[in-house]
Amino acid sequence: MDSRQLRYFIAVYEQRNLSRAADQVSVAQSALSHHISNLEAEFATRLFERKPRGMEPTAAGERLYEHARIILRAMTEAETEVREGARVIAGNISIGMANSAVKAIGVALMRTVLSQYPKLKLSLTESMSGATLMHLMASNVDLALVYNPPSEKELIAEPVLEEEMFCVGIPKLVGRSKAPIRFEELSRLPLILLRYGLSSRALLDDPVLLKRLEANAILHANSITGMTGALVEGLGCAIATKLFAREELDAGRLVAREVVAPKLIRTLYLCRLRNRPMTYAMEEMSRLMLALIAEQVRSGGWQATLVG
């Protein structure tokens, strides 16, 4: 098996048709079919079912596709690294960020890459923290900024900052007082929780408190925009940071009260996969993101405490 065979396999997988795949990789259809047959012989299993409507991947074909993408991307990065050395940061870099991180440093990161790293192609993926971690574990991104990741042996997680959590909602629900709100009182409010974002489980170790919090949730949202809109409409309140609802808080549409007894803190981590070698681009983007985060925290744009 070589890189050419993997490229041919990926073309057939994505096109689901030998003729179209042959056109894509500029080889004869018969030659492409021969390469696929050789791969199947090497793995001693069928990678595709030949059907009248085209090529349908088998379970083995599905698994090989995921590995093939990772292998070819690693080979491309290795070629760039060896050719360019440390002279220039070049190639492709894919970064995943939780929504709050994008709000704080996303534009600054893109601006810096465009102005200072002209040979680097950045792909920035924004999602809720849990989904961002899944992107990393599936090797869809090279680096990820996520909150409270689980302890996984495949993961290298560097703590970056800690953020205090607040009870956020309209004054009618959470009160106009700036005084802290006790968890006991918070747990009786109509709560909207993020389903795939920062889970309450990442904030609370006490199973009794956790059960009370989740039992009182009136909604589980998978959308930051939808959740913010629901808060402004007074449908419920949320456990969130001030950065999460910064615009609505500044406009007075929402208020935030510190949660105490217990105080709720979340930690942002810079994560990468342990089995993924660091490239020059990954090292440089890690350094850049940490610098941008530190700048935001020190300027007051991100109300958090740097750690690590």
Side-chain angles (χ1 to χ4, degrees):
M1 180 176 61
D2 56 31
S3 61
R4 180 178 59 175
Q5 286 179 308
L6 289 180
R7 285 193 293 105
Y8 290 169
F9 167 78
I10 287 175
V12 175
Y13 178 95
E14 293 179 345
Q15 294 295 332
R16 299 294 205 271
N17 180 280
L18 276 175
S19 178
R20 291 197 299 269
D23 289 340
Q24 178 180 316
V25 295
S26 301
V27 298
Q29 182 174 331
S30 58
L32 183 59
S33 178
H34 179 70
H35 280 290
I36 296 300
S37 296
N38 284 346
L39 267 180
E40 291 179 322
E42 184 172 345
F43 286 112
T45 188
R46 295 182 69 84
L47 300 174
F48 295 98
E49 295 292 345
R50 279 72 169 172
K51 297 185 176 181
R53 64 176 181 273
M55 305 285 281
E56 188 71 25
T58 63
E62 294 284 357
R63 289 195 295 272
L64 179 59
Y65 176 71
E66 294 303 319
H67 289 293
R69 287 193 310 121
I70 295 170
I71 291 169
L72 288 183
R73 185 169 70 178
M75 292 179 69
T76 300
E77 290 173 352
E79 182 179 358
T80 301
E81 291 270 303
V82 172
R83 284 183 175 178
E84 300 291 348
R87 292 172 297 163
V88 63
I89 303 300
N92 299 304
I93 183 77
S94 181
I95 297 174
M97 289 189 190
N99 306 88
S100 293
V102 172
K103 182 178 287 189
I105 68 165
V107 173
L109 176 67
M110 291 185 284
R111 182 190 303 114
T112 304
V113 170
L114 288 173
S115 62
Q116 298 184 20
Y117 305 94
K119 292 190 176 183
L120 183 64
K121 186 175 182 180
L122 170 67
S123 174
L124 181 61
T125 300
E126 175 184 0
S127 54
M128 287 182 282
S129 186
T132 301
L133 181 61
M134 287 190 283
H135 287 315
L136 178 65
M137 300 304 289
S139 296
N140 293 325
V141 298
D142 303 306
L143 299 167
L145 286 171
V146 300
Y147 289 100
N148 298 73
S151 296
E152 299 281 356
K153 63 181 181 180
E154 301 94 345
L155 203 62
I156 296 176
E158 175 187 354
V160 179
L161 58 75
E162 291 182 344
E163 286 182 283
E164 188 174 348
M165 307 298 289
F166 294 79
C167 175
V168 178
I170 61 172
K172 184 178 179 180
L173 275 180
V174 304
R176 295 186 178 276
S177 172
K178 293 184 178 180
I181 182 172
R182 295 178 62 84
F183 183 86
E184 178 69 28
E185 182 182 352
L186 168 67
S187 66
R188 294 195 296 267
L189 295 175
L191 291 171
I192 302 174
L193 299 180
L194 289 173
R195 173 60 71 187
Y196 295 116
L198 176 69
S199 69
S200 52
R201 190 174 302 279
L203 294 169
L204 289 172
D205 295 323
D206 189 324
V208 176
L209 295 181
L210 175 63
K211 185 176 181 180
R212 184 183 306 174
L213 190 69
E214 294 185 336
N216 224 41
I218 60 169
L219 286 172
H220 287 89
N222 293 334
S223 165
I224 296 295
T225 302
M227 185 173 186
T228 304
L231 295 178
V232 172
E233 287 295 316
L235 302 183
C237 57
I239 300 172
T241 64
K242 287 186 175 180
L243 179 61
F244 168 83
R246 181 170 59 191
E247 294 80 6
E248 288 72 21
L249 290 170
D250 290 344
R253 291 188 289 270
L254 296 175
V255 296
R257 294 179 63 186
E258 178 188 3
V259 180
V260 295
K263 180 174 288 192
L264 301 183
I265 301 291
R266 70 176 182 177
T267 305
L268 180 72
Y269 288 78
L270 175 58
C271 301
R272 64 182 177 89
L273 293 179
R274 190 176 299 277
N275 64 358
R276 184 80 189 280
M278 282 284 276
T279 64
Y280 292 128
M282 289 170 65
E283 287 181 350
E284 187 65 11
M285 289 302 101
S286 295
R287 182 202 63 77
L288 176 58
M289 285 191 290
L290 293 176
L292 292 173
I293 290 170
E295 181 181 333
Q296 279 291 303
V297 171
R298 289 170 182 145
S299 69
W302 197 337
Q303 295 186 32
T305 302
L306 294 172
V307 298

